[in-house]
Amino acid sequence: MTSEVPPFLLAELMAPALLILAAGFVLTWVATRSVLLSLFLPLAKATVFVVYFAAFFDGTWTFLDDWTYLEKGQLLLDQGVSTTNFFAHLPLLFSTAGGKHFVYHLFNADAARLFGPAYYAPVAFNIVLTFVAAGFMAGAAKAGLHFSRRLAVGLFASLVLYPDLVAWSTVVNGKDTLVMTGTGVAVYVISQIESGRYRRAVILGVVIGFVLFFTRFYTPLMMLAAFGLAMLLSSSGRRRPWLWLLVTLGGAGVLSVLGMRGLVNAFNLLLQDFVNPIYGFFRYLLTPIPFNTTEHYDFLDLPQVLYWALMPFLVYGVYRVWRRATLTARFAVIYFLLMVALYAMFAELQGPRHRYQLDGLIVLFQFLGFLSVFRQLGMGRGSEKPTASKDYSGMASPPRMLD
């Protein structure tokens, strides 16, 4: 970790702040068609970014990995490697990254190419990614969970402004924002399969599978497992044999690239760090206790207060999503539970940083759980009527969850 790093000059931060404003405006407009939100949300995010790096940044809230990404990104930049030519430099990418996880090093190289080799450069890219993640989650909620447009817009804004997401994406140069965005894309892919938009789903699925495999290799494997289980529990999924072929081919592709040695090494690593999964389950979901963090994590104190306060709505939201019984709903819940179960067994990865990658799903569950309670108490414009646990994925006009 690095400390006592001087903050940056305002002039240095103007270019990345303009990127956040411009990209955030476009992405918010595409997702919401709201001029007010398209102006407000990017302005809020850009303001937090500038204030933090100009007034508060001193290296305290950074980690060794963050600086390693930055340093190796600069090495790739010096070699002329970018996203436009990375296929020609795969051996160099693997050697620089020290393994197969080269994508975020490339991410840092492109950020340094645009804004210079400063800590804030990849962070600005991560902030833009939060709009992308929110857009895909909102789109998945509309297509696969039958959210109304108004509710999808609410989910988008809730995710963009979610304190935990704002904290991690603004303070830390970490690859977890990229994984969180990939999770949102994966849920959207399932919703597009369910809606019959197969070409879009396959293209997006291949791209995000590639990105995630070379960022955190086990995430696409867990997604494929969740997809297979979701199909088993969905009558429409069981009626589509080509989807089983797709899952099989995807799993075979991931395993062939990973190799038997990679699988054995991963399994041995899990055995070495295995802990009681019941203890790990609660530790992963609740760490850290608000205002009981170490110095390097105390930027999470306020976000954790909200996260703990919304925990009952998170639990209820998982139930409400599951009750929809669509392929998208099944996938979202199963993938969330599989990832929680995996980390519950792995002591080294039970911190809040690895939970952050699930923020898109966490906000979805919290959002729906809160709205459901709110309307069932008669405080909304017409309370929600419970729906039967029926598979609506094959219907031409499925009922909406909430209006």
Side-chain angles (χ1 to χ4, degrees):
M1 304 175 193
T2 304
S3 59
E4 300 303 325
V5 180
F8 298 95
L9 299 175
L10 278 174
E12 296 179 77
L13 301 171
M14 288 302 101
L18 285 174
L19 173 68
I20 295 169
L21 286 170
F25 178 88
V26 172
L27 292 167
T28 303
W29 170 255
V30 170
T32 69
R33 293 297 192 269
S34 167
V35 175
L36 181 61
L37 286 177
S38 299
L39 292 172
F40 171 71
L41 294 180
L43 179 61
K45 302 273 276 192
T47 300
V48 173
F49 168 79
V50 171
V51 170
Y52 172 68
F53 280 103
F56 297 102
F57 178 79
D58 64 359
T60 299
W61 294 334
T62 62
F63 304 86
L64 180 61
D65 286 351
D66 313 354
W67 295 99
T68 301
Y69 295 139
L70 202 64
E71 177 186 350
K72 292 189 175 182
Q74 182 61 42
L75 289 175
L76 294 176
L77 179 61
D78 294 340
Q79 297 291 328
V81 183
S82 71
T83 52
T84 61
N85 62 7
F86 74 92
F87 267 118
H89 298 279
L90 285 178
L92 175 62
L93 284 167
F94 290 142
S95 63
T96 301
K100 292 184 171 67
H101 296 161
F102 67 81
V103 167
Y104 197 69
H105 297 87
L106 193 61
F107 186 91
N108 275 252
D110 284 338
R113 180 175 287 102
L114 191 59
F115 298 126
Y119 191 92
Y120 61 76
V123 170
F125 275 27
N126 277 335
I127 293 173
V128 171
L129 279 181
T130 64
F131 290 96
V132 178
F136 277 111
M137 283 302 301
K142 285 176 65 177
L145 299 177
H146 316 312
F147 272 36
S148 67
R149 181 181 176 277
R150 184 166 59 89
L151 281 184
V153 170
L155 176 62
F156 178 91
S158 298
L159 185 52
V160 168
L161 296 178
Y162 190 58
D164 189 68
L165 182 145
V166 172
W168 280 111
S169 63
T170 306
V171 171
V172 178
N173 171 30
K175 64 183 179 182
D176 305 278
T177 300
L178 183 59
V179 180
M180 188 265 298
T181 303
T183 302
V185 176
V187 179
Y188 180 78
V189 165
I190 304 304
S191 75
Q192 296 307 290
I193 290 175
E194 195 164 17
S195 302
R197 300 181 179 95
Y198 303 124
R199 180 179 300 179
R200 179 187 303 177
V202 170
I203 293 173
L204 278 174
V206 170
V207 171
I208 201 59
F210 177 89
V211 170
L212 288 176
F213 179 81
F214 290 104
T215 303
R216 188 166 282 159
F217 76 90
Y218 53 84
T219 51
L221 278 174
M222 300 296 280
M223 287 173 180
L224 287 168
F227 187 31
L229 289 171
M231 286 194 298
L232 278 175
L233 297 171
S234 166
S235 61
S236 65
R238 292 193 297 269
R239 291 195 302 265
R240 301 177 187 179
W242 70 271
L243 290 180
W244 291 104
L245 177 62
L246 193 64
V247 171
T248 303
L249 290 176
V254 171
L255 293 175
S256 65
V257 175
L258 184 60
M260 184 57 66
R261 173 183 287 185
L263 280 175
V264 172
N265 288 341
F267 183 71
N268 289 336
L269 190 62
L270 175 61
L271 290 179
Q272 292 172 12
D273 210 30
F274 183 83
V275 295
N276 184 336
I278 298 176
Y279 164 77
F281 175 85
F282 291 102
R283 183 168 182 256
Y284 175 70
L285 285 178
L286 297 176
T287 300
I289 300 172
F291 301 105
N292 192 35
T293 58
T294 63
E295 180 186 16
H296 293 285
Y297 282 97
D298 58 15
F299 68 94
L300 293 176
D301 280 336
L302 291 178
Q304 278 295 104
V305 171
L306 179 66
Y307 174 73
W308 275 48
L310 293 176
M311 183 58 69
F313 300 106
L314 167 63
V315 175
Y316 187 55
V318 170
Y319 166 73
R320 296 302 305 173
V321 171
W322 182 263
R323 280 201 63 196
R324 296 310 293 171
T326 64
L327 190 62
T328 306
R330 296 296 195 229
F331 173 81
V333 173
I334 291 172
Y335 179 70
F336 176 76
L337 294 178
L338 283 179
M339 292 302 288
V340 172
L342 174 66
Y343 288 123
M345 296 183 290
F346 209 124
E348 187 180 345
L349 304 180
Q350 287 173 2
R353 189 167 186 170
H354 284 81
R355 189 180 66 236
Y356 166 49
Q357 66 182 291
L358 298 175
D359 264 4
L361 294 172
I362 288 171
V363 173
L364 170 66
F365 298 142
Q366 290 175 342
F367 180 82
L368 184 56
F370 180 82
L371 278 181
S372 297
V373 171
F374 184 78
R375 294 197 172 182
Q376 287 170 12
L377 291 175
M379 293 184 287
R381 191 175 61 184
S383 59
E384 179 195 3
K385 295 180 180 180
T387 56
S389 297
K390 180 180 178 182
D391 189 342
Y392 294 113
S393 55
M395 296 177 61
S397 300
R400 293 198 170 180
M401 178 177 292
L402 296 166
D403 294 324

